[in-house]
Amino acid sequence: MKKILVTGGLGFIGSHTVVELQNEGFEVLIIDNLSNTTIDVLDKITSITQIKPSFFNFDLKDKTAVQDFFNSNDVDGIIHFAAYKAVGESVHIPLDYYENNIISLTNILQEMKVRNLSNFIFSSSCTVYGQADELPITENAPVKPAESPYGNSKKINEEIIADAVKAHKFKAISLRYFNPIGAHASAKIGELPIGVPQNLIPFITQTAAGIRHELSVFGSDYPTPDGTAIRDYIHVVDLAKAHIAALNRLLKNQQKNNYEVFNVGTGKGSSVLEVINAFEKVSKTKLNYKIVGRRSGDITAAYADTTLANNELKWKAELSLEDALLAAWNWQKTL
Ligand code: WQD
């Protein structure tokens, strides 16, 4: 049974990926410092798959702890989710973001180098494209100056991985996520925003649940059909399955290059108002919202050209925006 290390495996995307890895027959080891999640996610994963992942609670910035882990555990592949990821927060504490997101990565890559480990998958983001000049966005779109230290840390980490792959023997894939939303069909795992949600979907579900008074729609004067900004919202279970497809490509040595990048989205753009209407339809509730000014740093539109992932990873998003919104709503109702 192949052993896969999942860092940040108790987080939103990490936990859904752990479930899919276990469904595929992989043995999963999780490292998570619980800085942005809770330990009960481990039991929830176990209750879904009936298999308890091995769990190691330490911070990846602790080089000795990382070395100790690899001294005691050999793995066939690594999926690296662990990172701070709040765009707005990163503007206020950039040094914490750079230190955490970069040191965690280099500590792992150093261990891969000295132990000749390979098969590394990195959790990247479409945020590296900024406002792309052309839509849909392909992997050849230029990477633009980042709008936030969070986005910059993703850009820097991709460059670190590319240089490490060139200098050493291991293989890697970066997956550039568009907007991950939704929750597992069991409603046992989902997005756990701590504090006031920054992202649209958790804010919508918390408003519908009466936790928030009303949703503010950030801007209706964008050059889009209904004036609100457009994003490519991908169901987190589809996103998790893309990691399995990327891992199998590495394990079966099917790569065309030792370092590859794939956009992971649905290929479909939805505006904020379209998301609100879809949510009202699936939840059979009326959402309380108001239009306000634009949020600084937001782009007008982003949605993926998914040709490369479809053809090379043999992966395609199968779940719809409505599926994801209903799953998010069912998850919210359990909280
Ligand atoms: C989506 C749309 C907002 C909240 C960011 C990161 C990306 C990834 C996902 C981490 C935008 C609008 C939002 C609200 C609103 N994060 N909105 N009212 O900004 O596209 O992407 O989160 O990995 O890397 O860049 O996602 O959900 O914040 O916003 O109107 O209360 O919803 O303006 O148009 P975003 P988002």
Side-chain angles (χ1 to χ4, degrees):
M1 190 186 269
K2 296 273 188 201
K3 283 185 176 180
I4 306 299
L5 166 60
V6 180
T7 72
L10 295 185
F12 174 38
I13 305 166
S15 57
H16 288 81
T17 303
V18 168
V19 165
E20 296 309 323
L21 283 165
Q22 292 185 322
N23 289 344
E24 289 291 311
F26 290 103
E27 181 182 340
V28 176
L29 296 84
I30 294 173
I31 297 174
D32 201 306
N33 69 357
L34 302 177
S35 68
N36 192 26
T37 185
T38 54
I39 186 64
D40 70 312
V41 174
L42 185 62
D43 294 337
K44 296 286 175 54
I45 291 169
T46 309
S47 76
I48 293 169
T49 61
Q50 307 309 312
I51 309 163
K52 183 166 184 153
S54 313
F55 173 58
F56 305 83
N57 177 3
F58 65 87
D59 193 315
L60 290 165
K61 292 194 291 296
D62 178 346
K63 195 175 180 69
T64 308
V66 174
Q67 289 167 334
D68 291 347
F69 172 84
F70 283 100
N71 283 336
S72 326
N73 300 281
D74 58 349
V75 295
D76 300 292
I78 299 173
I79 306 181
H80 180 52
F81 292 103
Y84 295 159
K85 57 138 228 167
V87 175
E89 181 187 56
S90 75
V91 175
H92 302 298
I93 49 171
L95 296 175
D96 294 352
Y97 267 69
Y98 288 123
E99 182 182 53
N100 184 68
N101 292 1
I102 293 170
I103 302 297
S104 298
L105 173 72
T106 52
N107 280 348
I108 292 169
L109 296 180
Q110 290 280 28
E111 291 312 305
M112 290 183 70
K113 179 192 75 174
V114 299
R115 299 164 193 276
N116 287 323
L117 295 178
S118 188
N119 306 327
F120 184 77
I121 295 173
F122 177 61
S123 163
S124 191
S125 170
C126 66
T127 204
V128 301
Y129 296 116
Q131 177 54 70
D133 303 322
E134 286 176 41
L135 293 172
I137 304 172
T138 70
E139 289 80 357
N140 301 319
V143 170
K144 291 205 172 164
E147 300 274 343
S148 69
Y150 156 76
N152 206 28
S153 75
K154 288 295 181 187
K155 199 158 135 315
I156 292 164
N157 279 358
E158 283 195 6
E159 289 162 2
I160 289 170
I161 296 163
D163 287 344
V165 165
K166 272 191 213 113
H168 308 299
K169 286 190 289 298
F170 58 82
K171 305 174 293 169
I173 287 178
S174 283
L175 297 180
R176 290 175 178 167
Y177 309 157
F178 280 68
N179 287 59
I181 66 168
H184 191 262
S186 65
K188 290 180 176 174
I189 52 175
E191 200 164 0
L192 269 175
I194 296 172
V196 178
Q198 297 307 302
N199 295 130
L200 178 64
I201 301 330
F203 208 108
I204 286 179
T205 57
Q206 288 193 10
T207 303
I211 298 167
R212 307 288 160 201
H213 169 59
E214 80 181 347
L215 169 76
S216 297
V217 173
F218 297 142
S220 63
D221 60 347
Y222 284 100
T224 61
D226 66 17
T228 62
I230 291 169
R231 297 289 186 276
D232 182 334
Y233 297 95
I234 177 168
H235 195 302
V236 64
V237 172
D238 275 331
L239 178 58
K241 289 178 177 173
H243 291 77
I244 309 300
L247 181 63
N248 284 326
R249 182 178 178 84
L250 291 168
L251 293 173
K252 294 173 185 165
N253 289 309
Q254 293 168 337
Q255 280 192 294
K256 293 198 168 121
N257 300 299
N258 282 347
Y259 179 53
E260 295 177 312
V261 172
F262 294 98
N263 287 344
V264 183
T266 65
K268 179 178 172 298
S270 302
S271 74
V272 178
L273 288 178
E274 284 170 332
V275 170
I276 292 171
N277 294 336
F279 179 79
E280 289 182 330
K281 192 177 112 197
V282 300
S283 64
K284 300 183 179 58
T285 65
K286 190 92 191 72
L287 195 75
N288 188 18
Y289 69 90
K290 71 172 186 289
I291 308 282
V292 299
R294 294 184 181 190
R295 178 173 66 176
S296 70
D298 275 356
I299 58 170
T300 300
Y303 48 93
D305 178 318
T306 60
T307 311
L308 202 62
N310 299 156
N311 293 348
E312 295 299 323
L313 296 183
K314 310 278 182 284
W315 166 90
K316 188 170 174 46
E318 288 156 8
L319 297 165
S320 69
L321 173 68
E322 286 76 11
D323 294 329
L325 293 170
L326 183 57
W329 180 229
N330 291 336
W331 159 250
Q332 178 68 57
K333 289 189 285 187
T334 70
L335 295 179

